[in-house]
Amino acid sequence: MSIRLCSCVLATLAVLAMACSRDAQPLSPSAGLDTFASIAGGVERAVKLFDACDPASFNAVLGAGACTRNGGVTFQNFIDQLTAHQSVGAWHFAPTMLTMKAGQNLVAINAGGETHTFTEVEEFGGGIVANLNQLAGLPNVAPECTQLQPGDFLRPGARSSETEDESGVEKYQCCIHPWMKAEVRISEK
Ligand SMILES: [Cu+2]
């Protein structure tokens, strides 16, 4: 009788011990390092969206609040540069070529004074502003730019983030200023 009771207690203790060790798992050193890596930004890759709009002249043409930075390229100068070069250098993504690993986050940060999009496209093309497409020499609108959701418009200071799950090459462009482009090469984990 006492032997049977004893083995019963031992079995209970064994189950409790297993439950305990399972509960302890999230505190293991490797889990702690993973948490540290994501806090430190080790799993995040960033693209910044830049422009150099001059608020006085841009807001006069596009409306109040269209440009929220200080100083820069006047609207007329912007149009002149676009007419001459089919792009305006200060309106760009940086970097334009980025490598990362599957499982990492791709973050887009609007560091400019205008609204931009960071839109994944099958092929680079025109955006949603016909006049800019024409001056940029991109008459064929990228289909992805015709399906934008409100959240795709990144206001100054805004950021978007997505986890890249598959390896391969992805193309991103602004659907307002379609010469703003970046290519992201994603390798296996
Ligand atoms: Cu843009």
Side-chain angles (χ1 to χ4, degrees):
M1 198 62 149
S2 69
I3 288 169
R4 206 182 294 160
L5 180 65
C6 184
S7 63
C8 184
V9 167
L10 279 176
T12 306
L13 283 176
V15 168
L16 279 173
M18 278 168 65
C20 262
S21 69
R22 215 176 294 144
D23 285 350
Q25 213 116 49
L27 296 173
S28 72
S30 69
L33 282 176
D34 285 351
T35 306
F36 176 77
S38 59
I39 289 168
V43 296
E44 200 171 273
R45 306 285 278 146
V47 174
K48 283 191 174 178
L49 289 46
F50 288 102
D51 63 58
C53 62
D54 158 62
S57 56
F58 271 73
N59 293 342
V61 177
L62 302 174
C67 173
T68 60
R69 61 188 295 289
N70 292 322
V73 177
T74 64
F75 189 80
Q76 189 55 54
N77 190 346
F78 169 82
I79 294 296
D80 290 347
Q81 284 190 52
L82 189 55
T83 304
H85 308 298
Q86 300 193 317
S87 67
V88 187
W91 275 247
H92 67 275
F93 291 164
T96 55
M97 186 78 82
L98 185 72
T99 56
M100 58 191 292
K101 289 195 166 124
Q104 292 184 317
N105 283 339
L106 179 61
V107 179
I109 302 160
N110 185 353
E114 286 194 282
T115 294
H116 300 282
T117 79
F118 187 73
T119 305
E120 188 181 345
V121 294
E122 197 64 35
E123 295 298 336
F124 293 125
I128 57 174
V129 184
N131 289 345
L132 295 183
N133 291 347
Q134 193 192 337
L135 293 176
L138 296 166
N140 299 322
V141 176
E144 295 87 348
C145 288
T146 66
Q147 293 157 25
L148 295 174
Q149 302 298 311
D152 293 328
F153 292 90
L154 301 176
R155 303 213 15 99
R159 54 190 270 156
S160 68
S161 173
E162 68 171 299
T163 304
E164 299 291 359
D165 293 321
E166 289 180 11
S167 60
V169 178
E170 294 187 345
K171 296 172 176 145
Y172 289 85
Q173 72 167 75
C174 177
C175 286
I176 299 167
H177 316 97
W179 62 91
M180 297 175 74
K181 295 184 265 189
E183 212 169 83
V184 180
R185 292 170 184 273
I186 304 149
S187 59
E188 302 280 351
K189 281 185 194 181

